[in-house]
Amino acid sequence: MQYRELICGRMCRYFKPEKHEDPGCGGVEWLKPRTGLDAALSALQARPSDMLHGLDPNDPRLWVVCNSCEFRIDGCDFRDPEVAPEDCEPCGGLRAVAGLLAARVDVGL
């Protein structure tokens, strides 16, 4: 199964199934070269109330993912200092990375 199918519809409020963006979600794009994560991704809670699975939004490991994302500069409310935290959510890809890290899955960070 593709990571987009495992992550986006379950974890992202921004997901539009009829629209396939290129590039896609930065978190999903960052995860793509890391194979063998299907079972761990499937086990993650879909859109938990704790959006980053207990990780601090400024965790340097999450910033590695965000810094690689093409949407960060223009289009990412979560990392935009002008947007209040209560008015935004992380993308599903970042939620997935945070969930994997919280579950102590080795993703190379």
Side-chain angles (χ1 to χ4, degrees):
M1 185 173 280
Q2 292 185 343
Y3 288 169
R4 183 176 189 270
E5 294 169 1
L6 288 170
I7 296 169
C8 301
R10 295 177 49 233
M11 297 184 185
C12 188
R13 82 173 198 177
Y14 310 109
F15 178 63
K16 298 172 188 83
E18 69 284 351
K19 186 175 182 182
H20 191 81
E21 295 180 311
D22 188 29
C25 167
V28 174
E29 293 296 319
W30 189 87
L31 282 169
K32 276 183 182 177
R34 291 148 183 88
T35 60
L37 298 173
D38 294 39
L41 287 167
S42 295
L44 293 178
Q45 181 182 356
R47 299 196 64 206
S49 58
D50 179 354
M51 294 185 283
L52 293 175
H53 302 269
L55 272 66
D56 184 299
N58 289 312
D59 185 305
R61 299 170 297 175
L62 298 180
W63 271 106
V64 169
V65 177
C66 291
N67 285 334
S68 73
C69 180
E70 293 192 32
F71 292 107
R72 184 176 155 246
I73 293 172
D74 183 27
C76 178
D77 289 345
F78 185 68
R79 292 297 186 196
D80 186 341
E82 302 287 321
V83 179
E86 61 273 8
D87 293 336
C88 62
E89 293 183 19
C91 66
L94 191 63
R95 285 180 196 242
V97 171
L100 294 171
L101 291 170
R104 302 190 190 286
V105 174
D106 181 11
V107 294
L109 292 171

